[in-house]
Amino acid sequence: MQTADSVKVKAIAVRAVPYGESDMIITLVGVETGKITATAKGCLKRGAKLRYAAEPFNFGDYVLAGRGGRYVVTECEQIESFGAITADIERYYDGCLILDALAKLSEQPAPEEFMAALNALSRLAYSNEDPDAVIRDFLLTAIEIGGNRLDFAHCNACGRALEGAARFQDADGIVCESCANFGSIEVEAPLRAFLAGESGQTHAIGLRANILLLEFVHIMLGVKISARYLTEQL
Ligand SMILES: [Zn+2]
C-alpha cells in the first residue's frame, strides 16, 4: 500500500471483460489482497500500453488508483505472462481451471492458495510435465491448505491399509467400506490405486481422478469448479 489513493499489488489477472468503447474490467487476485476488480482504461485501443495487463494469466506488480473497491490500473510491471499456456488447448483449459479456482478461493486473501496457483501455472507453461498431474497436485494442495490431507492408501477412520475401492466422506476423508457412512462417495478401485500411487496413469484415469477431486474440493472447501474445463478437452 502506498498513498491513500494508490495501491501496489502483486497480482494475477484471472478474468477480463470488455467495457464501453475500449476499456476492460479486470478481476485480479493479489497475494495479499485476495480478489479485487479494476478498470484498465483504453486498453482495447490499438497500441495501448497496458494491453498485456488485462490479459488473463498475466502476473505482475499492478499499481491501482482509487479506493473503496473502485480502482483504475495506472501501471503494471509484468513478472510473467504465462503466454505459453495459451499455445496448447489442453494446457489452456487447465490454466483456466487454475484461474477459476484461484478466484473462488480468494474471496479473502489466500496467500498459500496463491502460491499453489502460481506454481501450477509455471509448470503448465514451462515444463513438459503431464498437465493432468499438475491439476491433480494443485487440487490436492488446495484441499491440504484447507486442513485435510487426503491419504488414499489407508482408511482415515480405522487406519487399515486400503485395497480395491474406498469411500470418501467429508468428516474423515478417505475411508474403507466398513467405516463408510450413508451418503459417502465411492472411490472406484482403479482411481483409489492411482491416487495412492500404487498404479500408473493413463489419460482416462488421470482425467477421472481430477473430476473426482473437483467433487472433493466442492464438498471440503465449498468451492465449485466446473468439470467442463477438463471434459471439453476431449
Ligand atoms: Zn476403516
Side-chain angles (χ1 to χ4, degrees):
M1 303 278 165
Q2 295 171 331
T3 68
D5 297 303
S6 173
V7 291
K8 188 173 178 181
V9 293
K10 202 173 281 301
I12 298 176
V14 296
R15 188 160 182 263
V17 290
Y19 180 77
E21 289 277 299
S22 59
D23 298 350
M24 294 281 269
I25 296 188
I26 319 171
T27 305
L28 296 171
V29 171
V31 63
E32 286 160 359
T33 58
K35 193 156 84 173
I36 38 179
T37 304
T39 307
K41 287 195 181 291
C43 80
L44 292 176
K45 287 181 185 151
R46 188 185 295 274
K49 181 170 74 80
L50 284 175
R51 183 69 187 90
Y52 67 89
E55 294 285 354
F57 299 109
N58 184 62
F59 172 45
D61 284 313
Y62 287 78
V63 181
L64 309 178
R67 62 169 81 193
R70 298 183 69 89
Y71 296 108
V72 171
V73 179
T74 56
E75 284 174 60
C76 177
E77 191 176 328
Q78 187 173 67
I79 299 168
E80 287 290 347
S81 71
F82 296 117
I85 288 176
T86 59
D88 174 275
I89 193 72
E90 181 176 3
R91 284 169 194 272
Y92 174 71
Y93 277 117
D94 286 340
C96 290
L97 183 155
I98 303 287
L99 294 187
D100 188 25
L102 179 62
K104 289 171 177 166
L105 291 164
S106 301
E107 293 296 340
Q108 303 297 319
E112 286 180 279
E113 287 82 349
F114 185 94
M115 294 314 293
L118 206 54
N119 176 266
L121 293 176
S122 298
R123 289 168 66 189
L124 284 177
Y126 306 121
S127 81
N128 290 322
E129 287 176 90
D130 180 356
D132 289 337
V134 175
I135 294 295
R136 181 169 68 254
D137 288 351
F138 172 74
L139 296 175
L140 287 169
T141 302
I143 290 169
E144 193 167 345
I145 293 167
N148 296 283
R149 205 186 145 273
L150 294 180
D151 177 358
F152 292 87
H154 302 90
C155 171
N156 205 48
C158 71
R160 83 176 174 87
L162 292 167
E163 286 173 48
R167 309 288 299 185
F168 166 86
Q169 54 201 26
D170 191 12
D172 304 298
I174 307 301
V175 294
C176 70
E177 305 273 1
S178 9
C179 293
N181 294 326
F182 181 75
S184 61
I185 294 170
E186 182 180 18
V187 183
E188 292 169 53
L191 297 185
R192 190 210 56 79
F194 168 64
L195 286 164
E198 295 159 11
S199 70
Q201 173 175 3
T202 64
H203 180 60
I205 289 281
L207 183 61
R208 286 173 58 213
N210 284 344
I211 291 169
L212 189 66
L213 291 178
L214 287 180
E215 203 175 340
F216 298 167
V217 164
H218 186 207
I219 293 165
M220 295 184 127
L221 306 177
V223 165
K224 179 121 183 87
I225 305 159
S226 172
R228 81 186 156 81
Y229 291 116
L230 304 174
T231 55
E232 281 192 2
Q233 300 166 9
L234 299 175

